[in-house]
Amino acid sequence: MAEDPPDEGMLGWDESVFRNERVFEIDYVPETFKHRETQTQSLQYVLRPAVRGSRPLNAVVRGPPGTGKTTAVQKLFSELQAETNDVRTVRVNCQMNATRYSVFSRLFEGMFDYEPPASGISFKKLFSQVTERLVDEDEVLVVALDDVNYLFYESEASDTLYSLLRAHEEHSGARIGVIVVSSDPNLNVMDELDSRVQSVFRPEDIYFPPYDEGEIVEILRERVKRGFQDDVIPAPILDLVADFTAETGDLRVGIDLLRRAGLHAEMRASRTVEREDVKAAYEKSKYVHLRRSLEGLSESELALVEVIAECEGERAGDVYETFHERTGLGYTRYSEIVNKLDDLGIVETEYAEVEGRGRSRELTLEYDREAVLDRL
């Protein structure tokens, strides 16, 4: 007996709703970069001296998560490398490299195209090898410290910037410019730096505001055009995705939401994304910031997040006792981690009066408890 023909709205086994799924990955750099013309021009102004062989200006690039800061830096770094062979650009992810030594290890890797030895090399030697290479090759180095807020959380920012900004004093002829990129709205970079760094940093301030809803729709429409097959995302569905994205203020949520909604539609073997796909996907996509924040935490920091989630509603002292039992770490380190989690927006801390015990700090999660535990 002949089989029934497949439903026209159903995908075959070898079909996909995606034209290029890579378009929806977080680190994808789009060919067209809209609604950031002013900020791009400011970055070009900062970098222009490097093309002429001079030390570039320094800059603080700031704004909420998902506002195009990293993309702008990456695109201009690519253009700069295409323009001249005398400028070396290195972007360091400080979420993964939150100490001065690890930052300079990434600079070493960027200069020599291989990693430095894992042990047995001092910071001074690492530093001198980077600066000597710059002078020997007569190159200008532009360093982007992306998510620099993580250096501040570990009290490493001032020492790292001081070493970069004073490099020419240690090795005459070394030319280094620094761009720091921060997504922490509560961090004032200049105020938190040592006075010795403030006096030599003097950065240009470049602010990336949140995208408005019209801009979000236009940017997501471009991703849809490049990433999906024709007619997979109808206009009303794109508007729904934009609404969810605008609620969070983070464009990365919308990009992740498109990808997950597409995968959800494929799971149903559907050729089009529908409202149910978007709503189901949003339950995971809305936690993009939480997922990225957790990825950058150490084992002991993750352990404290888990303890806080399990001990929700208990006093900080009781949370510490459980944390100490699991990790063996003391109260000073516990307090440092609490402050970092507060800065990251994972935990909220408040002081409250406790009868007979004075003031006590209360810890609560900024996210749904089950969502946190699920991602741990």
Side-chain angles (χ1 to χ4, degrees):
M1 187 170 101
E3 294 184 2
D4 293 332
D7 189 314
E8 287 186 4
M10 301 294 285
L11 286 171
W13 282 100
D14 59 345
E15 294 180 300
S16 172
V17 298
F18 294 102
R19 177 179 283 122
N20 180 8
E21 195 173 345
R22 173 86 177 86
V23 167
F24 303 104
E25 294 179 7
I26 293 298
D27 61 348
Y28 174 77
V29 178
E31 293 180 27
T32 56
F33 187 53
K34 298 180 179 179
H35 309 299
R36 287 296 178 254
E37 290 79 10
T38 300
Q39 291 79 8
T40 298
Q41 288 172 5
S42 296
L43 279 168
Q44 288 171 336
Y45 168 75
V46 165
L47 296 173
R48 189 166 284 116
V51 180
R52 300 191 292 265
S54 299
R55 185 184 299 113
L57 302 177
N58 303 312
V60 171
V61 174
R62 59 187 180 87
T67 52
K69 301 181 298 298
T70 297
T71 300
V73 170
Q74 287 178 309
K75 283 190 74 69
L76 286 175
F77 273 14
S78 295
E79 292 174 12
L80 199 56
Q81 297 280 224
E83 182 75 21
T84 175
N85 294 323
D86 298 326
V87 179
R88 181 83 61 153
T89 60
V90 181
R91 172 181 161 264
V92 180
N93 180 350
C94 297
Q95 184 177 11
M96 302 300 176
N97 301 278
T99 66
R100 181 177 65 163
Y101 190 92
S102 61
V103 166
F104 272 83
S105 293
R106 299 290 72 75
L107 297 184
F108 181 99
E109 185 178 359
M111 297 296 297
F112 293 92
D113 297 322
Y114 61 88
E115 294 187 19
S119 60
I121 179 171
S122 67
F123 171 77
K124 186 174 182 180
K125 185 173 183 181
L126 189 68
F127 175 72
S128 65
Q129 288 184 338
V130 169
T131 54
E132 285 172 11
R133 179 63 175 258
L134 277 177
V135 175
D136 291 344
E137 298 293 326
D138 194 25
E139 291 181 330
V140 178
L141 173 63
V142 186
V143 181
L145 299 176
D146 205 356
D147 280 328
V148 73
N149 30 301
Y150 284 86
L151 287 179
F152 283 93
Y153 302 154
E154 301 298 333
S155 301
E156 293 274 347
S158 288
D159 285 344
T160 303
L161 280 167
Y162 189 79
S163 295
L164 289 168
L165 297 168
R166 293 290 192 182
H168 62 282
E169 296 180 359
E170 294 291 330
H171 204 114
S172 179
R175 291 158 292 166
I176 301 176
V178 183
I179 299 172
V180 302
V181 183
S182 172
S183 294
D184 185 344
N186 299 314
L187 174 66
N188 186 313
V189 170
M190 289 302 291
D191 287 352
E192 295 298 326
L193 290 171
D194 292 351
S195 57
R196 64 194 172 119
V197 182
Q198 291 176 352
S199 63
V200 293
F201 190 26
R202 298 190 295 275
E204 296 291 314
D205 182 65
I206 305 174
Y207 178 64
F208 283 64
Y211 293 106
D212 64 37
E213 193 157 352
E215 292 169 340
I216 289 171
V217 169
E218 190 173 350
I219 293 168
L220 294 182
R221 184 183 293 119
E222 183 67 24
R223 294 290 177 108
V224 166
K225 179 181 176 182
R226 294 182 181 277
F228 282 110
Q229 304 289 357
D230 294 341
D231 303 321
V232 169
I233 306 286
I237 297 300
L238 181 60
D239 290 339
L240 178 62
V241 173
D243 288 342
F244 280 132
T245 307
E247 281 181 22
T248 66
D250 188 339
L251 185 64
R252 294 173 305 184
V253 171
I255 293 169
D256 187 75
L257 180 53
L258 284 172
R259 178 173 179 264
R260 289 182 184 275
L263 292 171
H264 197 272
E266 284 194 337
M267 187 171 64
R268 298 189 299 104
S270 173
R271 294 179 183 274
T272 59
V273 171
E274 299 178 4
R275 294 181 68 88
E276 65 183 86
D277 300 311
V278 174
K279 290 181 177 179
Y282 184 62
E283 290 307 308
K284 292 188 176 181
S285 293
K286 66 183 178 182
Y287 295 115
V288 163
H289 181 68
L290 171 63
R291 187 170 70 244
R292 289 191 75 245
S293 296
L294 293 177
E295 286 172 356
L297 298 182
S298 66
E299 287 186 17
S300 57
E301 290 163 351
L302 289 170
L304 181 54
V305 173
E306 185 173 28
V307 169
I308 293 171
E310 294 172 352
C311 301
E312 197 168 33
E314 297 185 21
R315 297 191 187 100
D318 299 325
V319 173
Y320 165 68
E321 292 299 330
T322 304
F323 173 73
H324 176 69
E325 288 174 8
R326 292 191 188 180
T327 65
L329 295 174
Y331 191 85
T332 299
R333 182 56 184 150
Y334 162 75
S335 184
E336 290 173 349
I337 297 175
V338 168
N339 291 336
K340 177 176 179 177
L341 297 179
D342 188 13
D343 289 336
L344 283 172
I346 297 174
V347 169
E348 182 181 13
T349 63
E350 287 187 1
Y351 283 92
E353 295 292 336
V354 180
E355 186 175 352
R357 297 179 60 180
R359 284 164 58 82
S360 176
R361 192 157 57 161
E362 295 182 350
L363 309 178
T364 55
L365 292 172
E366 291 277 23
Y367 294 89
D368 177 74
R369 176 177 176 272
E370 293 304 322
V372 172
L373 289 172
D374 182 54
R375 281 153 186 81
L376 288 173

